[in-house]
Amino acid sequence: NGVPIMGEKEEALSTIKAKARTELEALLKDHVRELKFLEYDRPFYCASYWDWDERGGYIHVSPLVWGANPKNCPAMNYNWIAEDPGDAYVSYQDGLSSLLATATPI
């Protein structure tokens, strides 16, 4: 009937995710100091950290909203522009450190 059974559907999704990760890595690898793809089973967030550990750094965080297209979800941006990065920026630095210690590389 052409409709994949559950195991086939999961396998197809895994293949698509792996291909997307490979394409994104190829696109970004020459433009970043470090690139990691991590899997974590708690809140659904997407985040980008650019030079996050030094002044001038930038952190972009997008929480996913249930039922919404990720392209339309609200986002928050944090910039380290002063001597002190600020409490919110430091919270996301600490969050990344925790994520790196507990997440699974994919």
Side-chain angles (χ1 to χ4, degrees), residues 24-102:
L24 185 57
E25 184 174 9
L27 180 67
L28 293 176
K29 69 179 181 176
D30 295 330
H31 303 285
V32 297
R33 176 175 36 157
E34 184 176 356
L35 178 63
K36 292 184 180 187
F37 294 96
L38 304 171
E39 186 171 71
Y40 190 68
D41 65 354
R42 287 199 218 130
F44 297 109
Y45 274 74
C46 296
S48 299
Y49 286 74
W50 300 89
D51 299 327
W52 60 274
D53 54 351
E54 59 189 45
R55 192 172 179 180
Y58 171 77
I59 299 173
H60 170 85
V61 181
S62 300
L64 299 179
V65 177
W66 300 274
N69 182 328
K71 294 179 182 178
N72 299 325
C73 292
M76 297 161 283
N77 297 306
Y78 300 93
N79 296 283
W80 181 351
I81 53 176
E83 188 67 33
D84 178 356
D87 293 342
Y89 193 97
V90 170
S91 292
Y92 279 105
Q93 283 181 311
D94 293 345
L96 178 61
S97 295
S98 176
L99 181 66
L100 291 171
T102 58

